[in-house]
Amino acid sequence: MRQFADLFTTLDQTTKTSRKTAALAGYFSTAPDDDKVWTIALLSGRRPKRTVTVTQLAEWAAEKAGLPMWLFRASYDVVGDLAETIHLVLPAPEQTRDRSLSDWIGDIRALAKAEEALKREAILDAWNSLAGAERFVFNKLITGGFRVGVSQKLMTRALGQATDIPEAELAHRLMGNWTPETTSFAALVTDPDPEADLSRPYPFCLAHGVEDEAAALGPAEDWRAEWKWDGIRGQLILRGGQHYLWSRGEELMTDRFPELARALDFLPLGTVIDGEVVAWDADARAPMSFAALQKRIGRKTVPKSLLTQAPAILYAYDLLEDGGEDIRAKPFSERRARLDALIAPLLADAPVLLSPDLPFDDWDALAKTRAGARAAQAEGVMLKRADSPYHAGRKKGDWWKWKLDPLTIDAVMIYAQAGHGRRANLYTDFTFAVWKGNDLVPFTKAYSGLTDAEFRKITHWVRRNTLARFGPVRQVPPEQVFEIGFEGIQKSTRHKSGVALRFPRMLRWRHDKPVQEIDTHAHLLNMLEEYG
Protein backbone atom coordinates (compact mmCIF):
# COMPACT_ATOMS: atom_id res chain seq x y z
CA MET A 1 0.00 0.00 0.00
CA ARG A 2 2.89 2.35 0.77
CA GLN A 3 4.22 2.09 -2.78
CA PHE A 4 0.77 2.75 -4.26
CA ALA A 5 0.19 5.68 -1.88
CA ASP A 6 3.52 7.19 -2.95
CA LEU A 7 2.44 6.81 -6.58
CA PHE A 8 -0.92 8.43 -5.84
CA THR A 9 0.79 11.37 -4.11
CA THR A 10 3.10 11.94 -7.07
CA LEU A 11 0.25 11.76 -9.57
CA ASP A 12 -1.94 14.03 -7.48
CA GLN A 13 0.70 16.69 -6.89
CA THR A 14 1.95 17.23 -10.43
CA THR A 15 0.37 18.39 -13.65
CA LYS A 16 3.38 17.43 -15.79
CA THR A 17 2.59 14.53 -18.08
CA SER A 18 6.25 13.45 -18.25
CA ARG A 19 6.49 13.16 -14.47
CA LYS A 20 3.22 11.21 -14.23
CA THR A 21 4.36 8.85 -16.98
CA ALA A 22 7.72 8.27 -15.32
CA ALA A 23 6.11 7.60 -11.93
CA LEU A 24 3.66 5.11 -13.43
CA ALA A 25 6.33 3.36 -15.49
CA GLY A 26 8.52 3.00 -12.40
CA TYR A 27 5.61 1.58 -10.42
CA PHE A 28 4.66 -0.91 -13.14
CA SER A 29 8.27 -2.05 -13.30
CA THR A 30 8.60 -2.85 -9.59
CA ALA A 31 5.18 -3.41 -7.96
CA PRO A 32 3.79 -6.91 -7.26
CA ASP A 33 1.69 -8.27 -10.13
CA ASP A 34 -1.53 -8.38 -8.06
CA ASP A 35 -1.10 -4.71 -7.15
CA LYS A 36 -0.37 -3.80 -10.77
CA VAL A 37 -3.65 -5.35 -11.92
CA TRP A 38 -5.60 -3.43 -9.26
CA THR A 39 -3.79 -0.22 -10.19
CA ILE A 40 -4.74 -0.68 -13.85
CA ALA A 41 -8.31 -1.34 -12.75
CA LEU A 42 -8.49 1.74 -10.52
CA LEU A 43 -7.01 4.04 -13.15
CA SER A 44 -9.44 2.75 -15.77
CA GLY A 45 -12.51 3.33 -13.60
CA ARG A 46 -12.95 -0.21 -12.22
CA ARG A 47 -13.24 0.85 -8.58
CA PRO A 48 -14.45 -1.51 -5.84
CA LYS A 49 -18.02 -0.77 -4.79
CA ARG A 50 -18.67 1.06 -1.54
CA THR A 51 -19.27 -1.50 1.19
CA VAL A 52 -19.81 0.89 4.12
CA THR A 53 -22.35 3.72 4.17
CA VAL A 54 -21.31 7.36 4.34
CA THR A 55 -23.26 7.77 7.59
CA GLN A 56 -21.42 4.89 9.23
CA LEU A 57 -18.01 6.19 8.17
CA ALA A 58 -18.80 9.69 9.42
CA GLU A 59 -20.06 8.43 12.79
CA TRP A 60 -17.08 6.13 13.34
CA ALA A 61 -14.58 8.80 12.31
CA ALA A 62 -16.16 11.42 14.61
CA GLU A 63 -16.10 8.91 17.47
CA LYS A 64 -12.46 8.01 16.81
CA ALA A 65 -11.50 11.68 16.61
CA GLY A 66 -13.48 12.59 19.75
CA LEU A 67 -15.60 15.12 17.87
CA PRO A 68 -19.34 15.79 18.20
CA MET A 69 -21.20 15.00 15.00
CA TRP A 70 -22.19 18.65 14.41
CA LEU A 71 -18.51 19.63 14.34
CA PHE A 72 -17.59 16.74 12.04
CA ARG A 73 -20.42 17.73 9.66
CA ALA A 74 -19.30 21.35 9.73
CA SER A 75 -15.76 20.22 8.90
CA TYR A 76 -17.10 18.08 6.06
CA ASP A 77 -19.02 21.07 4.68
CA VAL A 78 -15.82 23.12 4.60
CA VAL A 79 -13.56 20.41 3.20
CA GLY A 80 -16.14 19.08 0.72
CA ASP A 81 -14.72 15.54 0.59
CA LEU A 82 -15.52 12.79 3.11
CA ALA A 83 -12.28 10.84 2.65
CA GLU A 84 -10.18 13.96 3.17
CA THR A 85 -12.23 15.08 6.16
CA ILE A 86 -11.71 11.73 7.86
CA HIS A 87 -8.00 11.86 7.02
CA LEU A 88 -7.67 15.33 8.60
CA VAL A 89 -9.56 14.70 11.86
CA LEU A 90 -8.28 11.24 12.83
CA PRO A 91 -5.46 10.98 15.39
CA ALA A 92 -2.13 9.44 14.42
CA PRO A 93 -2.11 5.62 14.21
CA GLU A 94 -0.83 3.61 17.17
CA GLN A 95 1.02 1.22 14.86
CA THR A 96 1.57 0.87 11.13
CA ARG A 97 1.57 -2.14 8.81
CA ASP A 98 2.72 -2.21 5.19
CA ARG A 99 0.34 -4.59 3.47
CA SER A 100 -0.18 -4.77 -0.28
CA LEU A 101 -2.80 -2.77 -2.14
CA SER A 102 -4.53 -5.97 -3.24
CA ASP A 103 -4.71 -7.19 0.38
CA TRP A 104 -6.38 -3.97 1.53
CA ILE A 105 -8.85 -4.05 -1.34
CA GLY A 106 -9.61 -7.67 -0.48
CA ASP A 107 -10.47 -6.56 3.05
CA ILE A 108 -12.70 -3.77 1.72
CA ARG A 109 -14.59 -6.12 -0.59
CA ALA A 110 -15.06 -8.66 2.21
CA LEU A 111 -16.96 -6.06 4.25
CA ALA A 112 -19.89 -6.16 1.81
CA LYS A 113 -21.58 -9.03 3.65
CA ALA A 114 -20.24 -8.35 7.15
CA GLU A 115 -22.37 -7.28 10.09
CA GLU A 116 -22.13 -3.62 11.10
CA ALA A 117 -20.13 -4.41 14.25
CA LEU A 118 -17.52 -6.29 12.21
CA LYS A 119 -17.38 -3.49 9.65
CA ARG A 120 -16.76 -0.94 12.38
CA GLU A 121 -14.03 -3.05 13.96
CA ALA A 122 -12.30 -3.58 10.59
CA ILE A 123 -12.43 0.11 9.62
CA LEU A 124 -11.17 1.33 13.00
CA ASP A 125 -8.34 -1.22 12.85
CA ALA A 126 -7.41 -0.01 9.36
CA TRP A 127 -7.37 3.64 10.47
CA ASN A 128 -5.15 2.62 13.38
CA SER A 129 -2.74 0.82 11.03
CA LEU A 130 -2.31 3.38 8.26
CA ALA A 131 -0.66 6.79 8.28
CA GLY A 132 -0.36 9.74 5.94
CA ALA A 133 -1.14 9.19 2.29
CA GLU A 134 -1.85 5.48 2.88
CA ARG A 135 -4.76 6.29 5.17
CA PHE A 136 -6.05 8.93 2.73
CA VAL A 137 -5.95 6.42 -0.17
CA PHE A 138 -7.72 3.82 1.99
CA ASN A 139 -10.45 6.35 2.75
CA LYS A 140 -10.86 7.07 -0.96
CA LEU A 141 -11.19 3.36 -1.65
CA ILE A 142 -13.63 2.66 1.18
CA THR A 143 -15.89 5.59 0.18
CA GLY A 144 -15.90 4.47 -3.47
CA GLY A 145 -14.56 7.87 -4.52
CA PHE A 146 -11.05 7.01 -5.70
CA ARG A 147 -10.04 9.21 -8.62
CA VAL A 148 -6.75 10.60 -9.82
CA GLY A 149 -5.87 12.89 -12.71
CA VAL A 150 -4.51 10.26 -15.08
CA SER A 151 -6.09 9.36 -18.41
CA GLN A 152 -6.21 5.76 -19.54
CA LYS A 153 -4.06 6.75 -22.52
CA LEU A 154 -1.32 8.06 -20.23
CA MET A 155 -1.51 4.94 -18.08
CA THR A 156 -1.25 2.76 -21.19
CA ARG A 157 1.79 4.72 -22.37
CA ALA A 158 3.54 4.18 -19.03
CA LEU A 159 2.63 0.49 -19.02
CA GLY A 160 4.11 0.22 -22.51
CA GLN A 161 7.36 1.75 -21.29
CA ALA A 162 7.50 -0.72 -18.42
CA THR A 163 6.72 -3.82 -20.52
CA ASP A 164 8.03 -2.93 -24.01
CA ILE A 165 4.60 -3.82 -25.44
CA PRO A 166 3.30 -1.42 -28.14
CA GLU A 167 0.85 1.11 -26.74
CA ALA A 168 -1.84 0.36 -29.34
CA GLU A 169 -1.72 -3.36 -28.53
CA LEU A 170 -1.95 -2.66 -24.79
CA ALA A 171 -4.94 -0.38 -25.32
CA HIS A 172 -6.78 -3.27 -26.96
CA ARG A 173 -5.75 -5.79 -24.29
CA LEU A 174 -7.08 -3.55 -21.52
CA MET A 175 -10.55 -3.28 -23.09
CA GLY A 176 -13.36 -5.64 -22.21
CA ASN A 177 -15.23 -7.10 -19.29
CA TRP A 178 -12.30 -8.03 -17.06
CA THR A 179 -11.85 -7.43 -13.34
CA PRO A 180 -8.85 -8.04 -11.05
CA GLU A 181 -10.79 -10.97 -9.59
CA THR A 182 -11.11 -12.69 -12.98
CA THR A 183 -7.65 -12.17 -14.45
CA SER A 184 -3.97 -11.86 -13.65
CA PHE A 185 -1.32 -9.40 -14.81
CA ALA A 186 0.13 -12.04 -17.13
CA ALA A 187 -3.25 -12.98 -18.63
CA LEU A 188 -4.25 -9.35 -19.05
CA VAL A 189 -1.02 -7.69 -20.14
CA THR A 190 2.04 -9.80 -20.87
CA ASP A 191 0.68 -13.09 -22.20
CA PRO A 192 -3.03 -12.83 -23.08
CA ASP A 193 -4.96 -15.61 -24.78
CA PRO A 194 -6.50 -14.08 -27.95
CA GLU A 195 -9.46 -16.46 -27.68
CA ALA A 196 -10.04 -15.90 -23.97
CA ASP A 197 -12.46 -13.00 -24.36
CA LEU A 198 -14.32 -12.96 -27.66
CA SER A 199 -16.39 -10.03 -26.41
CA ARG A 200 -13.38 -7.69 -26.16
CA PRO A 201 -13.99 -4.42 -28.07
CA TYR A 202 -11.41 -2.24 -29.77
CA PRO A 203 -10.40 1.12 -28.25
CA PHE A 204 -12.70 3.78 -29.67
CA CYS A 205 -11.38 6.39 -32.08
CA LEU A 206 -12.30 9.84 -30.76
CA ALA A 207 -12.58 13.23 -32.44
CA HIS A 208 -11.58 16.78 -31.57
CA GLY A 209 -13.96 19.68 -31.94
CA VAL A 210 -13.51 22.02 -34.90
CA GLU A 211 -11.88 25.10 -33.39
CA ASP A 212 -12.05 27.59 -36.26
CA GLU A 213 -13.64 27.29 -39.68
CA ALA A 214 -13.86 23.82 -41.22
CA ALA A 215 -12.16 25.20 -44.33
CA ALA A 216 -8.95 25.39 -42.30
CA LEU A 217 -8.79 21.58 -42.49
CA GLY A 218 -7.73 21.74 -46.13
CA PRO A 219 -9.29 20.71 -49.45
CA ALA A 220 -12.87 19.47 -49.06
CA GLU A 221 -12.22 16.52 -51.39
CA ASP A 222 -9.89 14.98 -48.78
CA TRP A 223 -12.74 14.57 -46.32
CA ARG A 224 -15.91 12.54 -45.76
CA ALA A 225 -18.85 13.80 -43.73
CA GLU A 226 -21.75 12.23 -41.84
CA TRP A 227 -24.19 13.29 -39.17
CA LYS A 228 -23.00 13.42 -35.57
CA TRP A 229 -25.92 11.50 -34.09
CA ASP A 230 -27.35 12.31 -30.68
CA GLY A 231 -27.41 8.76 -29.31
CA ILE A 232 -25.11 6.33 -27.53
CA ARG A 233 -21.81 5.50 -29.19
CA GLY A 234 -21.57 1.73 -29.42
CA GLN A 235 -19.42 -1.07 -30.79
CA LEU A 236 -21.29 -4.17 -31.96
CA ILE A 237 -19.24 -7.37 -31.90
CA LEU A 238 -20.26 -10.64 -33.57
CA ARG A 239 -17.87 -13.44 -32.60
CA GLY A 240 -18.12 -17.06 -31.52
CA GLY A 241 -21.83 -17.28 -32.27
CA GLN A 242 -22.62 -14.44 -29.84
CA HIS A 243 -23.21 -10.70 -30.08
CA TYR A 244 -21.92 -8.05 -27.70
CA LEU A 245 -22.61 -4.31 -27.50
CA TRP A 246 -20.14 -2.01 -25.77
CA SER A 247 -20.47 1.69 -24.96
CA ARG A 248 -17.62 4.14 -25.41
CA GLY A 249 -17.21 4.10 -21.63
CA GLU A 250 -16.46 0.34 -21.75
CA GLU A 251 -19.86 -0.62 -20.40
CA LEU A 252 -21.38 -3.83 -21.71
CA MET A 253 -24.87 -2.87 -22.91
CA THR A 254 -25.89 -6.11 -24.63
CA ASP A 255 -28.88 -6.87 -22.40
CA ARG A 256 -30.18 -3.29 -22.52
CA PHE A 257 -30.75 -3.42 -26.27
CA PRO A 258 -32.16 -6.90 -26.99
CA GLU A 259 -33.22 -5.76 -30.50
CA LEU A 260 -29.61 -6.08 -31.63
CA ALA A 261 -29.55 -9.83 -31.00
CA ARG A 262 -31.12 -10.15 -34.45
CA ALA A 263 -27.88 -8.83 -35.96
CA LEU A 264 -26.67 -12.44 -35.96
CA ASP A 265 -29.40 -13.23 -38.50
CA PHE A 266 -28.18 -10.55 -40.90
CA LEU A 267 -24.41 -10.24 -40.50
CA PRO A 268 -21.53 -12.76 -40.53
CA LEU A 269 -19.45 -13.67 -37.51
CA GLY A 270 -16.10 -11.94 -37.29
CA THR A 271 -17.76 -8.54 -37.72
CA VAL A 272 -17.14 -5.52 -35.48
CA ILE A 273 -19.03 -2.30 -36.24
CA ASP A 274 -18.67 1.17 -34.76
CA GLY A 275 -21.89 3.17 -34.72
CA GLU A 276 -24.54 5.00 -32.75
CA VAL A 277 -27.41 3.39 -30.88
CA VAL A 278 -30.50 5.51 -31.56
CA ALA A 279 -34.22 5.17 -30.93
CA TRP A 280 -35.76 4.47 -34.34
CA ASP A 281 -39.04 5.56 -35.92
CA ALA A 282 -39.67 2.76 -38.42
CA ASP A 283 -42.53 4.59 -40.12
CA ALA A 284 -40.55 7.78 -40.70
CA ARG A 285 -37.33 5.83 -41.34
CA ALA A 286 -35.51 8.29 -39.09
CA PRO A 287 -34.04 8.52 -35.59
CA MET A 288 -36.19 9.70 -32.72
CA SER A 289 -35.03 12.35 -30.25
CA PHE A 290 -32.46 11.51 -27.60
CA ALA A 291 -35.21 12.00 -25.01
CA ALA A 292 -36.90 8.85 -26.33
CA LEU A 293 -33.69 6.84 -25.98
CA GLN A 294 -32.90 8.33 -22.58
CA LYS A 295 -35.83 6.48 -21.01
CA ARG A 296 -33.87 3.28 -21.59
CA ILE A 297 -30.55 4.46 -20.20
CA GLY A 298 -29.63 3.05 -16.81
CA ARG A 299 -32.09 0.16 -17.00
CA LYS A 300 -30.75 -3.36 -16.68
CA THR A 301 -33.96 -4.77 -18.11
CA VAL A 302 -36.26 -3.02 -20.56
CA PRO A 303 -40.06 -3.49 -20.28
CA LYS A 304 -42.05 -4.35 -23.40
CA SER A 305 -43.72 -0.94 -23.33
CA LEU A 306 -40.37 0.82 -23.80
CA LEU A 307 -39.31 -1.61 -26.51
CA THR A 308 -42.43 -0.55 -28.35
CA GLN A 309 -42.18 3.18 -27.60
CA ALA A 310 -38.47 3.54 -28.32
CA PRO A 311 -37.15 0.61 -30.39
CA ALA A 312 -33.40 0.84 -30.95
CA ILE A 313 -31.12 0.22 -33.90
CA LEU A 314 -27.39 0.66 -34.47
CA TYR A 315 -26.64 3.34 -37.04
CA ALA A 316 -23.35 1.98 -38.46
CA TYR A 317 -20.60 4.31 -39.65
CA ASP A 318 -17.35 2.33 -39.47
CA LEU A 319 -16.15 -1.26 -39.86
CA LEU A 320 -13.31 -2.38 -37.58
CA GLU A 321 -13.26 -6.12 -38.14
CA ASP A 322 -14.36 -7.88 -41.32
CA GLY A 323 -14.38 -11.67 -41.59
CA GLY A 324 -12.31 -11.85 -38.40
CA GLU A 325 -9.67 -9.49 -39.84
CA ASP A 326 -8.69 -6.37 -37.91
CA ILE A 327 -8.93 -3.65 -40.60
CA ARG A 328 -8.45 -0.59 -38.41
CA ALA A 329 -5.16 0.29 -40.11
CA LYS A 330 -6.80 0.54 -43.52
CA PRO A 331 -7.95 3.98 -44.74
CA PHE A 332 -11.41 5.15 -43.77
CA SER A 333 -12.55 5.21 -47.40
CA GLU A 334 -11.83 1.48 -47.70
CA ARG A 335 -13.39 0.60 -44.35
CA ARG A 336 -16.48 2.58 -45.29
CA ALA A 337 -16.74 0.89 -48.70
CA ARG A 338 -16.58 -2.53 -47.03
CA LEU A 339 -19.20 -1.42 -44.50
CA ASP A 340 -21.48 -0.25 -47.32
CA ALA A 341 -21.12 -3.58 -49.11
CA LEU A 342 -21.94 -5.43 -45.90
CA ILE A 343 -24.99 -3.46 -44.78
CA ALA A 344 -26.56 -1.89 -47.87
CA PRO A 345 -28.15 -5.19 -49.03
CA LEU A 346 -29.85 -5.81 -45.67
CA LEU A 347 -33.61 -5.72 -45.31
CA ALA A 348 -35.31 -2.59 -44.02
CA ASP A 349 -36.17 -4.25 -40.70
CA ALA A 350 -32.54 -5.16 -39.91
CA PRO A 351 -31.38 -3.94 -36.48
CA VAL A 352 -28.22 -2.45 -38.05
CA LEU A 353 -28.64 0.29 -40.64
CA LEU A 354 -26.15 2.37 -42.58
CA SER A 355 -25.59 5.91 -41.38
CA PRO A 356 -25.67 7.94 -44.60
CA ASP A 357 -22.77 9.83 -46.11
CA LEU A 358 -23.31 13.58 -46.47
CA PRO A 359 -22.06 14.50 -49.94
CA PHE A 360 -20.60 18.02 -50.36
CA ASP A 361 -18.55 19.80 -53.01
CA ASP A 362 -17.12 22.51 -50.78
CA TRP A 363 -17.15 23.68 -47.18
CA ASP A 364 -19.91 26.23 -47.74
CA ALA A 365 -22.21 23.48 -48.98
CA LEU A 366 -21.46 21.36 -45.93
CA ALA A 367 -22.09 24.35 -43.64
CA LYS A 368 -25.60 24.65 -45.10
CA THR A 369 -26.19 20.94 -44.50
CA ARG A 370 -24.88 21.23 -40.94
CA ALA A 371 -27.39 24.00 -40.21
CA GLY A 372 -30.17 21.40 -40.50
CA ALA A 373 -28.66 19.00 -37.96
CA ARG A 374 -31.26 19.47 -35.24
CA ALA A 375 -34.08 18.71 -37.67
CA ALA A 376 -32.28 15.42 -38.41
CA GLN A 377 -31.97 14.66 -34.64
CA ALA A 378 -28.21 15.22 -34.90
CA GLU A 379 -25.78 17.46 -33.00
CA GLY A 380 -23.80 18.53 -36.04
CA VAL A 381 -21.56 16.72 -38.50
CA MET A 382 -18.53 14.44 -38.25
CA LEU A 383 -15.54 15.00 -40.53
CA LYS A 384 -13.19 12.09 -41.27
CA ARG A 385 -10.14 12.25 -43.48
CA ALA A 386 -10.63 9.73 -46.27
CA ASP A 387 -7.17 8.20 -45.81
CA SER A 388 -7.27 8.01 -41.99
CA PRO A 389 -6.81 4.79 -40.03
CA TYR A 390 -8.97 4.01 -36.99
CA HIS A 391 -6.83 5.40 -34.17
CA ALA A 392 -7.00 4.33 -30.54
CA GLY A 393 -8.19 7.31 -28.54
CA ARG A 394 -8.07 10.97 -29.48
CA LYS A 395 -5.47 11.88 -32.08
CA LYS A 396 -5.67 15.35 -33.53
CA GLY A 397 -5.88 15.77 -37.28
CA ASP A 398 -7.96 12.97 -38.80
CA TRP A 399 -11.38 13.04 -37.10
CA TRP A 400 -13.29 16.19 -36.18
CA LYS A 401 -16.72 16.94 -34.77
CA TRP A 402 -18.30 20.11 -36.14
CA LYS A 403 -21.15 20.60 -33.71
CA LEU A 404 -23.89 23.18 -33.89
CA ASP A 405 -23.55 26.21 -31.66
CA PRO A 406 -25.28 25.50 -28.32
CA LEU A 407 -28.73 26.70 -27.46
CA THR A 408 -28.54 29.49 -24.88
CA ILE A 409 -30.62 31.14 -22.20
CA ASP A 410 -29.87 33.86 -19.63
CA ALA A 411 -30.65 32.89 -16.04
CA VAL A 412 -29.90 33.94 -12.48
CA MET A 413 -28.06 31.91 -9.84
CA ILE A 414 -30.14 31.20 -6.71
CA TYR A 415 -28.18 28.39 -4.97
CA ALA A 416 -24.47 27.50 -4.74
CA GLN A 417 -22.64 24.41 -3.55
CA ALA A 418 -18.95 23.65 -3.13
CA GLY A 419 -17.17 21.44 -5.63
CA HIS A 420 -15.02 18.37 -5.05
CA GLY A 421 -11.35 17.45 -5.25
CA ARG A 422 -9.11 20.43 -5.95
CA ARG A 423 -12.20 22.67 -6.03
CA ALA A 424 -13.56 21.54 -2.67
CA ASN A 425 -12.97 25.01 -1.21
CA LEU A 426 -14.67 26.82 -4.08
CA TYR A 427 -18.35 27.23 -4.89
CA THR A 428 -18.68 25.73 -8.36
CA ASP A 429 -22.08 23.97 -8.52
CA PHE A 430 -24.90 26.41 -9.15
CA THR A 431 -28.70 26.26 -9.50
CA PHE A 432 -30.26 28.67 -11.97
CA ALA A 433 -33.75 30.11 -12.36
CA VAL A 434 -35.85 32.09 -14.86
CA TRP A 435 -38.87 34.33 -14.38
CA LYS A 436 -42.40 32.93 -14.29
CA GLY A 437 -44.52 35.99 -13.72
CA ASN A 438 -43.08 37.59 -10.59
CA ASP A 439 -41.54 34.36 -9.32
CA LEU A 440 -38.22 32.70 -10.04
CA VAL A 441 -38.45 29.06 -11.12
CA PRO A 442 -35.32 26.85 -10.86
CA PHE A 443 -34.74 24.86 -14.05
CA THR A 444 -31.16 23.59 -14.22
CA LYS A 445 -27.83 23.14 -12.49
CA ALA A 446 -24.40 23.76 -14.00
CA TYR A 447 -20.87 23.43 -12.69
CA SER A 448 -18.52 24.03 -15.61
CA GLY A 449 -17.57 26.78 -18.01
CA LEU A 450 -15.93 29.40 -15.77
CA THR A 451 -12.22 29.99 -15.25
CA ASP A 452 -10.58 29.29 -11.89
CA ALA A 453 -10.31 33.05 -11.37
CA GLU A 454 -14.04 33.47 -11.96
CA PHE A 455 -14.85 30.61 -9.60
CA ARG A 456 -12.71 32.24 -6.90
CA LYS A 457 -14.49 35.56 -7.46
CA ILE A 458 -17.99 34.06 -7.29
CA THR A 459 -16.98 32.03 -4.21
CA HIS A 460 -15.98 35.22 -2.42
CA TRP A 461 -19.34 36.75 -3.35
CA VAL A 462 -21.31 33.66 -2.20
CA ARG A 463 -19.63 33.67 1.20
CA ARG A 464 -20.42 37.35 1.74
CA ASN A 465 -24.00 37.13 0.49
CA THR A 466 -25.42 33.87 1.85
CA LEU A 467 -29.09 34.17 2.79
CA ALA A 468 -29.62 30.64 4.17
CA ARG A 469 -27.83 27.33 4.47
CA PHE A 470 -29.20 23.88 3.69
CA GLY A 471 -26.34 21.52 4.57
CA PRO A 472 -23.63 22.18 1.96
CA VAL A 473 -25.98 24.33 -0.16
CA ARG A 474 -26.18 28.11 0.22
CA GLN A 475 -29.07 30.25 -0.91
CA VAL A 476 -27.93 33.56 -2.39
CA PRO A 477 -29.74 36.70 -3.57
CA PRO A 478 -30.85 36.50 -7.22
CA GLU A 479 -28.32 38.97 -8.58
CA GLN A 480 -25.67 37.12 -10.59
CA VAL A 481 -26.74 36.49 -14.18
CA PHE A 482 -25.14 33.85 -16.42
CA GLU A 483 -25.56 32.75 -20.00
CA ILE A 484 -26.27 29.01 -19.94
CA GLY A 485 -25.45 26.89 -22.98
CA PHE A 486 -26.96 23.46 -23.63
CA GLU A 487 -27.25 20.87 -26.39
CA GLY A 488 -30.93 20.01 -26.12
CA ILE A 489 -34.10 20.45 -24.13
CA GLN A 490 -36.79 17.93 -23.25
CA LYS A 491 -39.97 17.63 -21.22
CA SER A 492 -39.50 16.45 -17.64
CA THR A 493 -42.04 15.55 -14.96
CA ARG A 494 -39.28 15.38 -12.32
CA HIS A 495 -38.48 19.10 -12.41
CA LYS A 496 -40.67 21.97 -11.21
CA SER A 497 -39.96 23.85 -14.43
CA GLY A 498 -41.25 20.94 -16.54
CA VAL A 499 -38.05 20.82 -18.63
CA ALA A 500 -34.61 19.28 -18.47
CA LEU A 501 -31.51 20.48 -20.35
CA ARG A 502 -28.90 18.31 -22.01
CA PHE A 503 -25.27 19.12 -21.10
CA PRO A 504 -25.87 22.53 -19.46
CA ARG A 505 -22.81 24.68 -18.76
CA MET A 506 -22.00 28.31 -18.08
CA LEU A 507 -20.89 30.13 -21.21
CA ARG A 508 -20.24 33.48 -19.55
CA TRP A 509 -20.92 35.57 -16.48
CA ARG A 510 -23.24 38.38 -17.60
CA HIS A 511 -22.04 41.34 -15.53
CA ASP A 512 -23.76 43.53 -18.12
CA LYS A 513 -27.27 42.17 -17.57
CA PRO A 514 -29.63 42.90 -14.66
CA VAL A 515 -31.78 40.14 -13.22
CA GLN A 516 -34.93 41.86 -14.47
CA GLU A 517 -33.83 41.09 -18.06
CA ILE A 518 -33.17 37.36 -17.78
CA ASP A 519 -35.24 34.93 -19.83
CA THR A 520 -38.65 33.56 -18.87
CA HIS A 521 -40.21 30.19 -18.29
CA ALA A 522 -42.41 30.84 -21.33
CA HIS A 523 -39.26 31.20 -23.42
CA LEU A 524 -38.08 27.80 -22.15
CA LEU A 525 -41.39 26.24 -23.17
CA ASN A 526 -41.09 27.82 -26.62
CA MET A 527 -37.62 26.29 -26.97
CA LEU A 528 -39.03 22.95 -25.85
CA GLU A 529 -41.66 23.12 -28.59
CA GLU A 530 -39.09 24.09 -31.23
CA TYR A 531 -36.16 21.86 -30.27
CA GLY A 532 -37.55 19.21 -27.93
Side-chain angles (χ1 to χ4, degrees), residues 224-228 317 332 336 355-356 358 380-382 384:
R224 303 282 292 272
E226 61 199 40
W227 289 122
K228 185 186 185 305
Y317 43 65
F332 174 71
R336 178 67 195 210
S355 177
L358 296 177
V381 297
M382 290 294 302
K384 299 177 181 179

Side-chain angles (χ1 to χ4, degrees), residues 1-12 23-24 26-28 30-32 34-44 46-48 98-105 108 133-141 146-148 150 155:
M1 182 67 130
R2 192 168 299 158
Q3 187 178 9
F4 180 74
D6 290 343
L7 172 67
F8 175 86
T9 301
T10 300
L11 298 175
D12 190 52
L24 282 164
Y27 177 88
F28 286 131
T30 59
D34 287 349
D35 283 8
K36 285 190 280 193
V37 173
W38 265 111
T39 300
I40 294 169
L42 292 170
L43 296 182
S44 59
R46 295 171 171 87
R47 298 184 294 272
D98 187 20
R99 301 172 61 210
S100 69
L101 170 67
S102 56
D103 282 348
W104 279 113
I105 292 179
I108 291 171
E134 296 166 70
R135 183 191 279 174
F136 178 70
V137 169
F138 175 82
N139 290 342
K140 283 291 188 181
L141 293 171
F146 180 88
R147 291 178 182 83
V148 66
V150 172
M155 177 193 67

Side-chain angles (χ1 to χ4, degrees), residues 101-233:
L101 170 67
S102 56
D103 282 348
W104 279 113
I105 292 179
D107 288 355
I108 291 171
R109 295 181 65 250
L111 294 177
K113 298 181 180 179
E115 298 292 332
E116 182 174 337
L118 292 177
K119 289 183 179 182
R120 179 181 177 279
E121 181 181 355
I123 296 299
L124 291 177
D125 180 65
W127 285 338
N128 203 39
S129 305
L130 294 166
E134 296 166 70
R135 183 191 279 174
F136 178 70
V137 169
F138 175 82
N139 290 342
K140 283 291 188 181
L141 293 171
I142 197 68
T143 58
F146 180 88
R147 291 178 182 83
V148 66
V150 172
S151 67
Q152 186 156 338
K153 183 175 179 63
L154 191 150
M155 177 193 67
T156 305
R157 182 186 309 161
L159 190 58
Q161 291 181 10
T163 61
D164 292 325
I165 299 171
E167 188 176 335
E169 176 59 28
L170 278 173
H172 188 203
R173 294 181 186 183
L174 298 185
M175 297 287 285
N177 200 26
W178 63 271
T179 67
E181 297 92 343
T182 60
T183 191
S184 65
F185 184 73
L188 180 67
V189 175
T190 58
D191 191 26
D193 178 359
E195 302 298 323
D197 188 2
L198 293 175
S199 74
R200 180 178 291 125
Y202 293 106
F204 282 81
C205 182
L206 306 178
H208 283 271
V210 172
E211 298 162 351
D212 298 309
E213 294 296 323
L217 299 178
E221 58 266 24
D222 293 343
W223 295 86
R224 303 282 292 272
E226 61 199 40
W227 289 122
K228 185 186 185 305
W229 298 111
D230 190 9
I232 302 173
R233 179 91 177 269

